[in-house]
Amino acid sequence: MLELVNILRCQKLVQSPTSFCRLIRYLHKEPIPVAWKKPGIGWTKLNFDGSCKVGSGKASIGGVVRNHNAEFMLGYAESIGIANSTIAELTALKRGLELVLENGWNNDIWLEGDEKTLVDIIVRRRQVKCMEFQKHISHINSLLPGFNNCIVSHVYREGNRAADKFAKMGHQLDHPKIWTHSPPDEILPIFHDDAQGIPVIRKKGI
């Protein structure tokens, strides 16, 4: 009888668009464990991110490249001036791809970011109206044929913490910076967790 009551309640919620939206939000409020995933053997993984300051509009970018053992290969961070979040994300991806190719890591690449709309644009080759967006996307598309294989995926921010940290560091830089031997000390705990596959709980309602 209890199950029937719950079903009827759900049916009433579905009949009302407003109530249906509330139901969807409720269903997604359960905490979700999110962990960074290692790429396969022979693959290189690039995590990228953009950061924008509310109010000033100043943006920065960052990213990190790791191998199938979760070993650090390269990190980068840079302030890019005034830009919105989408431009920051596109710039972060573009710069990361350029650095990967410059270092000769052009076999198989896994690209991962936490901005789902951007990932959809790249994967589905969706048309965008903004000319500046088009310019960045065109540049990114011109770089992708330089790899044997390419995967593009979305991850929640909790699985993109290393790239997020690099991007936020970019706000403090006067010039672009690249790390090639080891990551900054403040990011080491994140690298340890990622390498061990330790999940971070995505909070309810996010």
Side-chain angles (χ1 to χ4, degrees), residues 34 49-50 89 113-115 154-164 168 200 202 206:
V34 181
D49 201 10
E89 295 279 347
D114 56 34
E115 178 56 58
H154 166 263
V155 68
Y156 288 125
R157 185 167 298 170
E158 290 79 2
N160 202 38
R161 291 187 300 151
D164 177 69
K168 288 178 178 175
V200 176
R202 182 171 173 80
I206 296 179

Side-chain angles (χ1 to χ4, degrees), residues 9 47-48 62 74 78 82 116 133 145 165-166 177 193 199:
R9 285 176 179 169
N47 283 84
F48 61 93
L74 180 146
E78 179 181 346
I82 305 298
K116 191 175 188 306
F133 288 4
K165 188 70 173 179
F166 274 109
K177 187 167 183 177
D193 289 351

Side-chain angles (χ1 to χ4, degrees), residues 56-92:
S56 67
K58 292 183 179 180
S60 59
I61 64 169
V64 57
V65 182
R66 286 171 279 191
N67 63 18
H68 66 274
N69 288 319
E71 296 169 336
F72 177 81
M73 298 172 70
L74 180 146
Y76 61 98
E78 179 181 346
S79 174
I80 61 171
I82 305 298
N84 62 34
S85 60
T86 303
I87 291 297
E89 295 279 347
L90 286 167
T91 305

Side-chain angles (χ1 to χ4, degrees), residues 127-140:
Q127 296 297 315
V128 293
K129 295 181 179 179
C130 176
M131 291 299 294
E132 191 171 3
F133 288 4
Q134 290 180 15
K135 181 181 70 174
H136 285 285
I137 293 169
S138 177
H139 191 147
I140 290 167

Side-chain angles (χ1 to χ4, degrees), residues 1 4-5 23 26 50 52 94 109 135 142 166:
M1 183 62 183
L4 177 59
V5 171
L23 172 62
Y26 172 79
C52 294
K94 181 180 69 174
I109 186 77
K135 181 181 70 174
S142 73
F166 274 109

Side-chain angles (χ1 to χ4, degrees), residues 90-197:
L90 286 167
T91 305
L93 173 55
K94 181 180 69 174
R95 185 63 182 133
L97 286 170
E98 291 171 345
L99 289 169
V100 170
L101 289 172
E102 287 172 12
N103 282 275
W105 305 322
N106 60 343
N107 291 326
D108 301 324
I109 186 77
W110 180 359
L111 312 174
E112 189 170 70
D114 56 34
E115 178 56 58
K116 191 175 188 306
T117 301
L118 170 61
V119 171
D120 287 343
I121 289 173
I122 300 299
V123 171
R124 306 186 186 205
R125 296 184 177 273
R126 290 183 175 175
Q127 296 297 315
V128 293
K129 295 181 179 179
C130 176
M131 291 299 294
E132 191 171 3
F133 288 4
Q134 290 180 15
K135 181 181 70 174
H136 285 285
I137 293 169
S138 177
H139 191 147
I140 290 167
N141 286 334
S142 73
L143 295 171
L144 294 180
F147 300 94
N148 290 342
N149 294 290
C150 178
I151 294 173
V152 184
S153 66
H154 166 263
V155 68
Y156 288 125
R157 185 167 298 170
E158 290 79 2
N160 202 38
R161 291 187 300 151
D164 177 69
K165 188 70 173 179
F166 274 109
K168 288 178 178 175
M169 290 174 61
H171 287 295
Q172 312 302 322
L173 301 175
D174 294 325
H175 304 284
K177 187 167 183 177
I178 300 171
W179 292 260
T180 55
H181 299 294
S182 60
D185 290 343
E186 57 264 45
I187 303 184
L188 288 177
I190 298 175
F191 274 87
H192 176 269
D193 289 351
D194 285 351
Q196 297 298 317

